[in-house]
């Protein structure tokens, strides 16, 4: 179900896939995030990192009563504080969707699907 924003000039309609892609790009700016995980197949998502062109596959968007609820399925870097990465993703995604798209974001849920070692020790 697309999200409509109305004002005196007309209506802007955002498809949920667009909202998911913007949220995915915003999340990738967060330190400690390695990538997005597939939300469809949980057991395969831990080993599968999605590229930038597939960001919407790691994000689930629901619209309820003009509020947007976002579920982010992520993979974090080993050695980072998972709670801090999750809080940063929540804040960044909420700010980006509200500031750039003008949406009212009720909540951003972060589901950590895995931890990945990103470099040599």
């Amino acid at each position: 179900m697309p999200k409509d924003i109305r004002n005196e000039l007309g209506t802007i309609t955002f498809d949920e896939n667009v909202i998911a892609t913007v949220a995915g790009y915003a999340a990738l700016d967060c330190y400690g995030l390695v990538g997005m995980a597939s939300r469809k197949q949980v057991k395969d998502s831990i080993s599968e990192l999605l590229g930038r062109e597939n960001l919407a596959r790691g994000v689930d968007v629901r619209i309820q009563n003009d509020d947007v609820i976002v579920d982010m399925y992520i993979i974090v870097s080993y050695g980072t504080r998972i709670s801090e990465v999750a809080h940063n993703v929540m804040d960044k995604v909420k700010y980006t969707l509200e500031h750039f798209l003008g949406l009212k974001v009720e909540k951003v849920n972060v589901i950590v699907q895995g931890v990945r070692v990103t470099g040599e020790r």
Side-chain angles (χ1 to χ4, degrees):
M1 170 161 95
K3 171 72 172 144
D4 293 335
I5 298 177
R6 292 179 180 80
N7 64 22
E8 65 278 356
L9 299 175
T11 303
I12 302 171
T13 303
F14 291 104
D15 185 72
E16 290 176 0
N17 207 21
V18 171
I19 298 169
T21 301
V22 172
Y25 274 111
L28 282 184
D29 281 344
C30 296
Y31 175 78
L33 183 78
V34 175
M36 307 303 292
S38 174
R39 68 181 188 268
K40 298 292 182 188
Q41 298 174 356
V42 176
K43 66 179 181 175
D44 295 336
S45 65
I46 293 173
S47 62
E48 175 189 358
L49 288 177
L50 304 175
R52 289 187 179 268
E53 67 277 357
N54 296 320
L55 288 174
R57 290 197 320 188
V59 182
D60 188 27
V61 176
R62 295 183 313 268
I63 300 171
Q64 297 175 346
N65 303 326
D66 289 335
D67 293 335
V68 176
I69 300 170
V70 181
D71 295 331
M72 308 284 301
Y73 296 82
I74 66 170
I75 298 174
V76 297
S77 175
Y78 178 78
T80 59
R81 184 173 290 193
I82 294 173
S83 62
E84 287 299 317
V85 174
H87 285 289
N88 289 339
V89 169
M90 290 174 186
D91 290 340
K92 178 74 173 188
V93 169
K94 182 175 173 29
Y95 171 79
T96 301
L97 292 179
E98 290 180 344
H99 183 74
F100 292 108
L101 298 182
L103 301 173
K104 183 179 175 202
V105 179
E106 181 179 331
K107 58 180 146 176
V108 177
N109 300 312
V110 174
I111 299 94
V112 179
Q113 295 278 6
V115 177
R116 182 169 204 176
V117 177
T118 56
E120 299 285 329
R121 288 190 152 238

